[in-house]
Every structure is written in C-alpha cells, then in structure tokens.
Amino acid sequence: QKEVEQNSGPLSVPEGAIASLNCTYSDRGSQSFFWYRQYSGKSPELIMSIYSNGDKEDGRFTAQLNKASQYVSLLIRDSQPSDSATYLCALGDYGNNRLAFGKGNQVVVIP
Amino acid sequence: GAVVSQHPSWVICKSGTSVKIECRSLDFQATTMFWYRQFPKQSLMLMATSNEGSKATYEQGVEKDKFLINHASLTLSTLTVTSAHPEDSSFYICSARPIPGEETQYFGPGTRLLVL
C-alpha cells in the first residue's frame, strides 16, 4: 500500500489570503496525483490532477508537484468562505488498481 | 462530463433488511467502479473494487457475503447491504474511472444509510 501523508492540522485562513496544503508520499515511482475537495456531509469532488513536475494552475487553484522530494501541494489563492472544506490528496496506485488517499486537511476560511 | 449518480441518496431501514444502492456513470462507460464507506469525521475507506463482467475485489476485513456487488453493465454497479445492522449505518460512496489505465476517479454524491 502506498503511503500518503497529510500531517497538518486544521488550517484557518482569513478571507482573501492564500491557503497552502502539503502532501508527501512514500512511493518514488508514483506518476499521477490528485486533489479532491470534500464538503462536510458530501462526497469528494475532483479539483486538480497533476502528472508532471512543476506547477499546474486552474483558476484560483495551483497544484505543485516535486517528484524528487516526493511532495505535492495545493495553493488556494484569494480564499473564499466557500473554500472551507476538507482537501484530500490522492495518488494513483497502479499496482493495486486504486487511488491511495491521505487523511485530508480541513481548511476554514474566516470572513 | 464525468458525472456519477447514486440512488437512493438516503435510506432508513430496519435491522435485518437488505438495502440496494445503485451507482451509475451518466456520460461515460466505466469498466471499474469503486465502493467506499465513510463514518462521521473519518477518512474514506475503500470497501471493494467492482469490475464489469467479473467478481468484485474486496478489501481485507470487508465481508463479501454481506456487501454484495454486481457490475452488470459498463454504466451500472450495485451494492447490496444484506441483513443490515445498526453498525452498518454509514455514508456509502461510489466512484467510477472513465479511462482504463488512468487513475482519475469521479465520485457519486453518496448514499446515507441509517439502520434502526
């Protein structure tokens, strides 16, 4: 089983600020990485996928991948109260035909 | 695109009854679907991988005779919780993978089960 670590506790950010979430993983051979957002009581929703080193931007979201250091991060610019949710990091576990999920990071955007 | 539906969205049943949950991929075909369970304030837990036309693959500790999975077509997988008990009360979420060989999964809205 691939290990995916999201160690930070709940993150509180003021509205308009940048929220930064980090995720580290154990398998250096991992090739595909995903960020999901899960609102309380709802199912996960795909925000971003990233496969190559560097940054990938989609609206206010930027995913950053560094395979050498085995981490993937998510930046949320101009945070809004509607961004308050749990963010799940996942990576493709081809060998086991599944996604390996981290435990998630809760983000609270304070108006 | 990549929309996954689940039905019902919530269900209340008596202990000992069976409950069937449907998962449909609406605008794509999915040879592989996944069933997860999530208890309040806990992480997603993969229960089983559902493969079209073949038997499901269950995770360790998940009883295959209690959680029956059928994936009869490329757009439909069903999970039947047999002889449900209060401890089976949970949020059941399915996901589907549109593209074989790629790991992207799209989740259904989930089914909340309450067993009395």
Side-chain angles (χ1 to χ4, degrees):
Chain A
Q1 289 275 10
K2 299 192 175 187
E3 297 291 326
V4 182
E5 296 289 335
Q6 293 181 261
N7 287 329
S8 300
L11 178 65
S12 293
V13 296
E15 184 174 356
I18 296 175
S20 177
L21 302 171
N22 293 312
C23 171
T24 59
Y25 57 94
S26 61
D27 187 349
R28 189 173 288 277
S30 297
Q31 298 294 322
S32 55
F33 305 86
F34 308 88
W35 282 100
Y36 286 85
R37 176 177 62 196
Q38 187 175 22
Y39 291 114
S40 180
K42 302 295 184 181
S43 65
E45 171 191 10
L46 180 67
I47 300 176
M48 298 274 290
S49 59
I50 185 167
Y51 304 93
S52 304
N53 278 327
D55 295 359
K56 180 181 178 182
E57 188 174 314
D58 184 358
R60 295 186 295 109
F61 297 100
T62 299
Q64 299 174 319
L65 175 60
N66 185 321
K67 292 184 180 180
S69 301
Q70 295 175 237
Y71 79 80
V72 56
S73 62
L74 180 70
L75 301 178
I76 309 173
R77 292 184 301 281
D78 188 23
S79 295
Q80 302 296 310
S82 59
D83 296 325
S84 298
T86 296
Y87 290 81
L88 302 170
C89 172
L91 57 87
D93 185 354
Y94 292 105
N96 291 304
N97 191 33
R98 68 188 59 186
L99 288 177
F101 282 92
K103 293 186 183 301
N105 280 129
Q106 184 181 8
V107 172
V108 178
V109 181
I110 303 168
Chain B
V3 179
V4 179
S5 70
Q6 273 184 252
H7 178 80
S9 56
W10 59 270
V11 59
I12 302 173
C13 69
K14 293 182 179 180
S15 184
T17 60
S18 295
V19 175
K20 179 186 283 188
I21 302 170
E22 291 186 349
C23 177
R24 293 183 184 272
S25 55
L26 298 185
D27 52 0
F28 64 95
Q29 294 182 330
T31 55
T32 304
M33 293 183 173
F34 302 85
W35 287 96
Y36 295 82
R37 181 168 56 181
Q38 189 174 38
F39 293 106
K41 299 193 183 301
Q42 294 191 20
S43 304
L44 282 174
M45 188 193 81
L46 179 64
M47 299 176 66
T49 301
S50 171
N51 300 296
E52 187 267 336
S54 64
K55 292 182 178 180
T57 304
Y58 290 83
E59 294 301 298
Q60 192 172 6
V62 178
E63 300 174 58
K64 62 180 181 181
D65 294 330
K66 180 171 182 62
F67 299 99
L68 301 178
I69 292 173
N70 184 279
H71 193 155
S73 78
L74 287 172
T75 59
L76 174 64
S77 176
T78 60
L79 169 68
T80 301
V81 182
T82 62
S83 186
H85 290 283
E87 58 266 29
D88 299 322
S89 300
S90 188
F91 190 37
Y92 292 85
I93 312 171
C94 74
S95 70
R97 193 166 66 194
I99 304 172
E102 288 193 14
E103 296 300 324
T104 309
Q105 291 181 26
Y106 294 92
F107 285 85
T111 297
R112 203 161 296 279
L113 171 63
L114 176 61
V115 184
L116 302 176

